Amino acid sequence: MADNRRWWALVVIALAQLMVVLDMTIVNIALPSAQVALQMSDGNRQWVITAYTLAFGGLLLLGGRIADLAGRRVAFMTGLVGFAAASALGGAAVNQGMLFGARALQGVFAALLAPAALSLLATTFTDPKERGKAFGIFGAIIGAGAAVGLLAGGFLTQYLDWRWCLYVNVPIALVAFAGAWALLPGGGRHPDARLDVPGALLGSAGMLSLVYGFSEAESRGWTDGLVLTLLIGGVVLLGLFGYWQTRAQVPLLPMTVVRDRQRVGAFLTVLLVTVGMFGVFLFLTYYMQRVLGYSPVKTGVAYLPITVGMVTGSTQVAARLLHRVPPRVLMVPGLLLAAGALALIAQVGVEPAYASHILPGMLMLGLGMGTAMMTSVSLATGNVAPRDSGAASATFNTAQQVGGSIGTALLNTIAASVTTRYATAHAASVPDKALLAAKAAVHGFNVATWWAMAALLLGALIAGVVVNADRAPTPQAPQERTPEPVDSAT
């Protein structure tokens, strides 16, 4: 592919990935309005988020293998069309069941789209210098997409309608589809491969069980029978999945993907980064809207420093140094900087603290996570045989999605329990109920943020010990890409 076509292809791939990442957070700000409009109960409103994460997190491995079997371009374009249709269905929802179903469909097609996008990127840019730039842009999209989603959600909800938080995906998907049709190369299909049906069932069921268990833990508690059954069952199913993968003739997740030390380090690092990141995003949103009284738009604008930091860390730090220094030299300092940011944010009180704590904390958090995330993306997808690039990409996305689910559920549970204990212990000393509620909520937020910081420190430790490569690897292409048959969508 000509150089300029490659970079235009990157725009298409990044646009699709931005849409998927945006959708993880854009609906959060619209949720209160959607709840009122569709008359959802407080108990049911969580399914607007959970239906998406369940389908997305549970089907990613299957989606990655389908991309390898059907062809990455076909999978990418199919995912775009399906995601757009599901988004339009959700925007037109007339009741909560219709919205929940549409969100689940979005997750299904996102599970097909996300690994196809990442594997297309990995096999399109193989030159180390170009690869660094491409992954810098892609890493910035992944890291900043959540914050941009909150910004867009605020504007769309406040000035248009909550439904536009779903409708907005339709034009984005159509533009990306047209670009994919014109720019992306065919190929990537491997006729000698077969779909591992038992592995697909075990892996998907295990992931669905884990994600569902973590999502229910927030409302039911960690000792609830259903939550424990789901979590234990998920671990057992994934254990059986791992055993089957060592025996399957054509495994869904080739053992070469998870036997590589560098790749395992990247997967674990991404999981722990998202454990901290997604939970803190939720707490910051609550702090700014409920404690500081920010509007949805003002809250979204307040998140811009994270976006600036992530773009800078990905494109100006990691992309420039990735193939000049060992990966852990970027990952460890990046994670330590992000952990320091959370230590600063965890000290806020009920009085306004945006300029003194939140703003510098966001800049540090974005810079550190952007640097670490972009490096992890390159490690996770480098040195993978083209026929397994979809599986490697899906595993990376799975680590990210499961980390977000764990972080949201775990940190919310910690925050809720600490808030309740604080309110009970200080009821007599703080007679103003509104002030007591604010103090208790902020204290719960602070304690949970310290736990998020611990997750980032653990990620830094793993990156420093496990990742020991002298330089980030590059794919085994292009010699394996040349003889690949062109798929029917070419």
Side-chain angles (χ1 to χ4, degrees):
M1 188 191 297
D3 287 347
N4 59 338
R5 285 178 63 85
R6 261 205 308 275
W7 291 107
W8 278 112
L10 173 62
V11 173
V12 172
I13 295 168
L15 186 63
Q17 183 67 19
L18 175 63
M19 182 180 66
V20 172
V21 176
L22 278 176
D23 211 70
M24 294 180 187
T25 55
I26 195 171
V27 176
N28 282 291
I29 288 183
L31 185 54
S33 299
Q35 180 181 1
V36 173
L38 300 182
Q39 298 180 338
M40 297 181 218
S41 67
D42 288 344
N44 285 340
R45 67 184 177 187
Q46 66 158 325
W47 284 102
V48 176
I49 307 298
T50 304
Y52 181 81
T53 58
L54 273 175
F56 192 15
L59 299 175
L60 269 166
L61 285 176
L62 180 59
R65 181 49 80 193
I66 290 174
D68 287 334
L69 296 176
R72 291 179 285 272
R73 181 172 180 256
V74 169
F76 183 80
M77 294 172 70
T78 302
L80 283 171
V81 172
F83 198 90
S87 299
L89 182 66
V94 296
N95 54 53
Q96 59 182 9
M98 185 174 174
L99 180 58
F100 299 159
R103 290 287 288 163
L105 276 177
Q106 280 186 300
V108 170
F109 286 105
L112 181 62
L113 177 60
L118 190 53
S119 59
L120 278 168
L121 181 70
T123 54
T124 298
F125 293 91
T126 56
D127 177 78
K129 186 176 180 180
E130 287 189 346
R131 183 178 171 83
K133 293 179 182 178
F135 273 80
I137 295 170
F138 195 78
I141 292 294
I142 292 176
V148 174
L150 293 167
L151 175 62
F155 274 95
L156 292 172
T157 301
Q158 188 162 327
Y159 293 118
L160 292 175
D161 184 77
W162 68 268
R163 297 179 184 275
W164 279 96
C165 290
L166 293 163
Y167 285 144
V168 71
N169 291 324
V170 177
I172 296 175
L174 292 178
V175 170
F177 182 88
W181 182 273
L183 296 168
L184 295 182
R189 184 173 57 196
H190 299 273
D192 59 329
R194 297 291 183 271
L195 184 62
D196 174 20
V197 176
L201 293 175
L202 288 171
S204 297
M207 289 305 308
L208 285 168
S209 183
L210 274 183
V211 175
Y212 187 22
F214 283 121
S215 67
E216 287 293 296
E218 181 182 356
S219 58
R220 293 175 176 268
W222 291 96
T223 58
D224 179 79
L226 176 63
V227 172
L228 291 175
T229 299
L230 289 167
L231 295 179
I232 294 172
V235 171
V236 171
L237 287 169
L238 289 178
L240 292 173
F241 168 77
Y243 173 74
W244 174 252
Q245 295 307 284
T246 64
R247 302 177 63 85
Q249 184 176 3
V250 184
L252 182 68
L253 177 60
M255 288 296 101
T256 54
V257 171
V258 292
R259 281 178 182 158
D260 183 86
R261 176 172 180 160
Q262 317 308 322
R263 203 171 296 122
V264 169
F267 292 152
L268 292 175
T269 299
V270 166
L271 187 145
L272 290 165
V273 166
T274 51
V275 163
M277 183 174 69
F278 275 74
V280 169
F281 273 0
L282 187 62
F283 294 139
L284 284 174
T285 300
Y286 177 85
Y287 174 78
M288 288 188 283
Q289 288 195 5
R290 298 295 178 85
V291 178
L292 301 185
Y294 287 7
S295 67
V297 169
K298 190 174 181 179
T299 301
V301 172
Y303 271 107
L304 286 179
I306 285 185
T307 305
V308 173
M310 286 184 172
V311 171
T312 303
S314 295
T315 63
Q316 301 304 310
V317 180
R320 293 177 180 271
L321 299 176
L322 182 60
H323 296 286
R324 298 181 182 180
V325 300
R328 62 181 172 186
V329 172
L330 296 172
M331 297 169 71
V332 174
L335 292 172
L336 291 177
L337 181 63
L342 295 189
L344 182 62
I345 293 172
Q347 299 179 54
V348 300
V350 295
E351 66 282 351
Y354 183 83
S356 60
H357 290 74
I358 304 300
L359 176 59
M362 281 186 174
L363 287 170
M364 293 168 57
L365 186 64
L367 183 62
M369 287 197 302
T371 302
M373 185 71 78
M374 182 269 174
T375 308
S376 298
V377 172
S378 187
L379 280 178
T381 57
N383 197 29
V384 182
R387 67 176 178 272
D388 294 330
S389 63
S393 303
T395 307
F396 174 85
N397 279 284
T398 299
Q400 184 182 13
Q401 185 65 20
V402 171
S405 299
I406 293 172
T408 301
L410 174 61
L411 297 179
N412 274 345
T413 300
I414 292 172
S417 60
V418 170
T419 296
T420 301
R421 289 199 300 269
Y422 184 96
T424 302
H426 295 81
S429 59
V430 185
D432 187 334
K433 293 187 180 298
L435 180 60
L436 175 63
K439 283 180 172 289
V442 171
H443 180 65
F445 159 76
N446 289 342
V447 172
T449 302
W450 286 114
W451 281 95
M453 184 195 75
L456 294 185
L457 289 176
L458 180 58
L461 177 63
I462 290 174
V465 173
V466 177
V467 178
N468 62 354
D470 290 333
R471 296 292 184 271
T474 54
Q476 294 180 16
Q479 63 269 22
E480 292 191 51
R481 286 195 303 163
T482 303
E484 289 178 6
V486 175
D487 58 45
S488 58
T490 304

